[in-house]
Amino acid sequence: MNDPALRRLVGGVLWPGYLGREVPGWLRRELADGGLAGVVLFSHNLPSVAAFRDLRPGLLVGIDEEAGNVTRLEAGTGSTLPGAAQLGFVDDPDATTAVGRELAERSLAVGANVVLAPVADVNTDPRNPVIGVRAFGSTPELVSRHVAAAVRGIQSAGAAACVKHFPGHGDTHLDSHLALPRLTLDPDEIERMHLPPFQAAIDAGVAAVMTGHLVVPAWGDAPATLNPAVLGRLRVMGFDGVIVTDALDMAAVRETVGAGPGAVQALLAGADLLCVGNPRNPGTAAAPDQDQRDFREVQLAILAAIDDGALPVAVLERAAARVGALGAALAGGGFTGERGRVTDAAGTTLDAASVARAAITADAWFAPVPAPRIVLDVRARATVAVDGAGDHVADALAAGGEVVRLDGGAGPALRPAVAAVAEREDPLVVLVDAVGPHSAQRDVIEQLGAIRPGAVVVNVGVPGGPLPLAALHTRAASRLAAEAADAVLAAGGRLEAGA
């Protein structure tokens, strides 16, 4: 802490979040004097933080803005842009490019120049609680072409894209915000199924790649973020940009090695930019100065590792140079997307409502469901990755009616409450997001199938097997998707792919 040059070098690889809409004093000091690389924005920092532009040229200001389920800019009302699963289902790469460009333009308008998107995970495990409809699909070919299209769109607007979560979070059934997932596939299958979208992003000139906190036993016991064998593969694949860690305050790191030691291990493994995390993640347990505490924990751990020789200064210099080069390119307006070429997506138009409507299918005929409606919302608890409770979805489907929310994971204990709702005469919609075999949400649908066969399911998650009630599959939990589903419910009928 007493060596200004070393402190600035450490700051050059740190990417914290912060609390509130005003930039706190400790963060201003680190940005001005500590050489801090930049910040990551969350919904509680918005609506406008464009003042970062005036603090220091070359700052990297990141934002999780994926469209669909994950939005910081529209967390309170729901995204008005199609999400990955909707775009993958419609399979129009030009639309994906247009969404990417719009994401970047909206992010740049609030001062964010690094868009933490697109998701390059191939969602091959239907139980996946954290990826699901955030992925473009379940095949590497489909995901690859849309990842490349999204990168082109984002970077054509002058922002940097950060593809995630290397080497692929799609075949896991644990949420790395809450636990440490394992990708227990043989290396050949990982190479064949999960790495191609990242290669497509690299080939499209993506500026940054975010790591995933998951163990790949075939490549070692450490989480990918902390594993030089995994991160080294990115360089072998031809990526020479910035490797960004997923948030170090996530349980997969925090509750295994700790955020501070994890930061040191990530740098030694080859990471360049350390995302400290969202200081609101602890919920009610968060301290008033949680943002500064989280930052200091990581900062001091790195300085201590330099002091005791565990972390060579050369490792920091290499990482900070990559981060600084990206900041300089963005500040200089010379960031043009694909290597050596300007990617122009400005001429691509987007009809977001049409994409959302085309992404909806119904697996059985259903009569029109007039408004107002009762919406029985039995969705799973929102993941930490999704900023906001998603009430906008249920409210839009209710169309002025009542929303009854029940804990979708409560199992048989839900039966009396579900029966009480079913006894009412109002048009009934059941809102779900996890309807795989043996799921509690499927149990609710089966119960209603016996007593309210006219009820209609709206599934905002990944479609599963046949259900005993007619079901609309929107492929997103967003305001855009809910408004499209509201119109479909009012019309009735049957919708198939391409209809």
Side-chain angles (χ1 to χ4, degrees):
M1 290 293 284
N2 296 325
D3 184 330
L6 272 181
R7 187 176 169 203
R8 289 183 65 84
L9 188 61
V10 172
V13 301
L14 297 183
W15 219 23
Y18 66 97
L19 295 170
R21 293 183 180 172
E22 299 297 324
V23 182
W26 70 266
L27 182 54
R28 283 188 176 274
R29 289 189 293 273
E30 293 294 339
L31 288 166
D33 303 324
L36 195 62
V39 298
V40 181
L41 303 179
F42 297 93
S43 63
H44 60 266
N45 304 128
L46 301 171
S48 178
V49 287
F52 279 113
R53 298 180 183 133
D54 303 325
L55 292 179
R56 195 180 80 232
L59 288 179
L60 299 182
V61 182
I63 190 166
D64 267 315
E65 195 62 26
E66 298 174 12
N69 288 31
V70 177
T71 175
R72 308 304 182 200
L73 296 173
E74 298 181 288
T77 58
S79 178
T80 54
L81 290 174
Q86 293 170 292
L87 291 163
F89 182 79
V90 173
D91 199 12
D92 178 357
D94 287 343
T96 300
T97 297
V99 168
R101 185 175 181 89
E102 181 65 20
L103 287 174
E105 290 178 345
R106 293 183 182 189
S107 299
L108 288 165
V110 299
N113 55 9
V114 182
V115 181
L116 299 176
V119 170
D121 305 312
V122 182
N123 196 69
T124 51
D125 189 336
R127 301 170 296 172
N128 199 318
V130 69
I131 303 301
V133 295
R134 295 170 64 198
F136 289 107
S138 59
T139 66
E141 298 81 10
L142 174 68
V143 175
S144 293
R145 62 177 168 268
H146 286 276
V147 163
V151 168
R152 287 193 293 269
I154 291 168
Q155 299 194 167
S156 71
C162 180
V163 70
K164 56 193 182 185
H165 309 81
F166 188 82
H169 212 313
D171 203 281
T172 60
H173 61 276
L174 293 176
D175 181 351
S176 52
H177 293 85
L178 308 173
L180 179 58
R182 297 173 68 84
L183 187 62
T184 55
L185 302 175
D186 65 67
D188 288 345
E189 186 170 0
I190 296 172
E191 295 273 1
R192 179 175 58 86
M193 290 293 295
H194 296 281
L195 296 191
F198 293 96
Q199 187 66 64
I202 293 168
D203 294 343
V206 72
V209 176
M210 178 175 282
T211 64
H213 298 328
L214 61 153
V215 173
V216 185
W219 295 336
D221 295 329
T225 300
L226 317 180
N227 189 332
V230 176
L231 301 194
R233 302 183 80 84
L234 268 173
R235 302 306 184 195
V236 172
M237 292 167 67
F239 181 63
D240 59 5
V242 175
I243 297 178
V244 183
T245 71
D246 207 343
L248 295 172
D249 69 345
M250 291 164 59
V253 171
R254 186 189 67 243
E255 295 183 6
T256 54
V257 301
V264 175
Q265 292 180 36
L267 288 167
L268 291 169
D272 302 307
L273 184 59
L274 307 178
C275 179
V276 178
N278 183 349
R280 289 183 65 181
N281 279 347
T284 56
D289 61 345
Q290 191 69 47
D291 48 2
Q292 188 174 5
R293 292 187 187 198
D294 292 346
F295 173 76
R296 294 287 181 228
E297 178 182 356
V298 171
Q299 181 193 46
L300 293 174
I302 296 172
L303 287 164
I306 296 171
D307 277 346
D308 64 21
L311 180 63
V313 172
V315 171
L316 271 174
E317 290 173 334
R318 174 218 71 212
R322 285 201 182 97
V323 174
L326 177 56
L330 287 167
F335 191 73
T336 57
E338 294 191 61
R339 288 183 181 84
R341 300 192 300 277
V342 174
T343 305
D344 183 10
T348 304
T349 58
L350 172 67
D351 184 345
S354 293
V355 172
R357 172 61 184 78
I360 296 177
T361 54
D363 51 18
W365 181 90
F366 63 97
V369 186
R373 313 176 185 104
I374 294 179
V375 173
L376 179 59
D377 185 351
V378 293
R379 289 175 293 170
R381 180 175 62 87
T383 68
V384 176
V386 178
D387 199 345
D391 292 348
H392 48 273
V393 176
D395 292 342
L397 295 174
E402 182 182 352
V403 177
V404 178
R405 294 181 176 86
L406 300 177
D407 180 359
L414 286 180
R415 296 186 71 85
V418 171
V421 173
E423 289 175 359
R424 298 171 59 175
E425 296 181 356
D426 311 65
L428 178 59
V429 171
V430 189
L431 181 57
V432 298
D433 62 0
V435 292
H438 314 300
S439 70
Q441 294 181 36
R442 183 175 282 265
D443 290 345
V444 169
I445 295 168
E446 290 176 351
Q447 178 186 356
L448 288 171
I451 56 179
R452 279 292 297 269
V456 176
V457 173
V458 174
N459 175 24
V460 297
V462 176
L467 297 170
L469 294 174
L472 299 183
H473 302 283
T474 67
R475 296 171 171 84
S478 67
R479 176 159 46 125
L480 177 71
E483 290 173 351
D486 171 45
V488 171
L489 286 169
R494 175 167 184 153
L495 307 174
E496 299 177 350

